[in-house]
Amino acid sequence: MRHILSILICAISVLVASATTDFSPYKGVYASNTAEAVITDSVCIMFFQKDSTMQAIIEVPTINLHHQTVFAPNGNVSFPSEIEPFAIKEIDKGININGIDLVKVEDISTVEPYHMTPCSSEFDVGKCLQQWRLGVKCGVVDNMPACEINTNRHMFVYMVNPNMVYIRAAATRNNNNGTLFFQNIRMMKNLNRGEYTMHIKPDNLVFAKNDLEIDNSKFQPNACTYNPDGGIYWSLISFESDNILLNGCGETYQVPRPTKDTGFMEWIQFEPYSTVPEFPSLK
């Protein structure tokens, strides 16, 4: 899955544009028990439960991208053609989007392109895994949307193509042993595997607000661990100054160090998790 997404994101990199529409007053990650949204300077993605459906909307005015996806319990996926622009207003502790109240669970700051930290030792792995993923890439391939937004604590995808619809919100946490990844919202229709999933965690607000807690015993260099609660441990295989390899549960995930010409629509500022030192590598 990650390999498919990486190929698609590379394909759209030539389509990104500089921001002219300003979502920046509302920038951040927001959540409720039935919805979640990520807003950057030029992109807004909202995921929400409505009646018996799961829905998602993406708006990127700079590239004329405005798309909605609706998952129904019977396995039907539809794409409404008439979509109103997001109506966003500030409320106490958060914002209201299209009539839905959400609480801010993460701040986002955008910055100019910069040189990201090389992975020079085993004690740099956690920082590099967090930092190297940060950024925004959105575009359109054959009239279908593809967008990936990674913040310091969350990872978002909105991707539609003829064989697969993959839309999700996830929490993430990294240290020198690898990445803990947990999808709290998943909308997936995969014709290749016959999968159809529409899910949001019942306690989504609390989940999105709190940091993931890593159990280092779950990191195994030769395996990927599925935790009973839904978390997935992608374990470190190896690292170089510009590339980190993780065991991605059936495939090897590459996390390369971005360069200034990587093609991000927006660069997101790195924020350390805390001043408490990470556990040393288990290698």
Side-chain angles (χ1 to χ4, degrees), residues 15-35:
L15 299 176
V16 299
S18 60
T20 57
T21 299
D22 190 13
F23 284 124
S24 58
Y26 312 105
K27 196 159 44 183
V29 178
Y30 301 82
S32 73
N33 282 337
T34 59

Side-chain angles (χ1 to χ4, degrees), residues 38-58:
V38 56
I39 305 176
T40 70
D41 289 326
S42 57
V43 181
C44 180
I45 306 176
M46 184 176 181
F47 317 78
F48 58 99
Q49 194 173 39
K50 184 176 182 180
D51 300 323
S52 62
T53 68
M54 280 294 299
Q55 303 189 30
I57 302 173
I58 183 171

Side-chain angles (χ1 to χ4, degrees), residues 111-116 131 134 258-260 267-270:
V111 294
E112 293 298 315
Y114 65 97
H115 292 291
M116 293 192 176
Q131 185 186 62
L134 296 174
T259 62
K260 285 188 175 182
W267 289 65
I268 292 176
Q269 181 173 308
F270 170 73

Side-chain angles (χ1 to χ4, degrees), residues 16-276:
V16 299
S18 60
T20 57
T21 299
D22 190 13
F23 284 124
S24 58
Y26 312 105
K27 196 159 44 183
V29 178
Y30 301 82
S32 73
N33 282 337
T34 59
E36 191 161 335
V38 56
I39 305 176
T40 70
D41 289 326
S42 57
V43 181
C44 180
I45 306 176
M46 184 176 181
F47 317 78
F48 58 99
Q49 194 173 39
K50 184 176 182 180
D51 300 323
S52 62
T53 68
M54 280 294 299
Q55 303 189 30
I57 302 173
I58 183 171
E59 185 174 340
V60 192
T62 55
I63 55 174
N64 297 316
L65 173 55
H66 200 181
H67 193 276
Q68 182 174 4
T69 301
V70 179
F71 273 48
N74 62 3
N76 183 56
V77 177
S78 59
F79 308 103
S81 57
E82 295 185 7
I83 314 166
E84 293 294 325
F86 280 123
I88 307 175
K89 63 181 180 181
E90 292 185 8
I91 59 171
D92 185 36
K93 296 183 180 179
I95 58 175
N96 179 288
I97 307 179
N98 293 358
I100 299 175
D101 291 348
L102 301 105
V103 175
K104 180 176 273 192
V105 296
E106 182 184 1
D107 287 321
I108 295 175
S109 298
T110 50
V111 294
E112 293 298 315
Y114 65 97
H115 292 291
M116 293 192 176
T117 305
C119 191
S120 301
S121 80
E122 62 182 331
F123 301 105
D124 295 330
V125 171
K127 175 181 179 180
C128 292
L129 283 172
Q130 178 187 348
Q131 185 186 62
W132 292 1
R133 292 186 175 113
L134 296 174
V136 179
K137 280 192 175 182
C138 292
V140 179
V141 179
D142 296 331
N143 296 316
M144 291 172 288
C147 187
E148 182 176 18
I149 301 175
N150 292 329
T151 70
N152 286 283
R153 294 180 51 246
H154 296 91
M155 304 173 76
F156 303 92
V157 168
Y158 190 114
M159 183 179 74
V160 176
N161 67 44
N163 294 316
M164 179 167 54
V165 177
Y166 182 43
I167 297 171
R168 60 112 163 109
T172 185
R173 189 82 171 182
N174 304 278
N175 71 12
N176 295 326
N177 303 304
T179 297
L180 172 56
F181 172 82
F182 196 122
Q183 294 186 72
N184 53 307
I185 297 175
R186 181 177 175 90
M187 299 167 61
M188 165 69 87
K189 185 166 187 176
N190 188 333
L191 298 181
N192 298 318
R193 295 200 311 239
E195 177 188 350
Y196 186 81
T197 305
M198 45 180 285
H199 170 75
I200 181 170
K201 277 185 66 65
D203 57 346
N204 190 66
L205 174 57
V206 173
F207 174 84
K209 197 173 185 178
N210 293 334
D211 292 329
L212 294 179
E213 294 186 8
I214 288 178
D215 177 353
N216 281 285
S217 69
K218 301 292 178 66
F219 285 119
Q220 303 294 330
N222 298 321
C224 158
T225 303
Y226 291 91
N227 215 39
D229 67 359
I232 304 174
Y233 284 80
W234 296 335
S235 300
L236 175 67
I237 297 174
S238 64
F239 68 89
E240 298 175 350
S241 60
D242 297 324
N243 197 42
I244 298 173
L245 299 183
L246 300 176
N247 191 314
C249 301
E251 60 181 305
T252 298
Y253 290 165
Q254 294 195 45
V255 183
R257 181 165 71 106
T259 62
K260 285 188 175 182
D261 58 356
T262 293
F264 288 146
M265 175 181 282
E266 298 176 61
W267 289 65
I268 292 176
Q269 181 173 308
F270 170 73
E271 298 287 351
Y273 294 133
S274 73
T275 57
V276 178

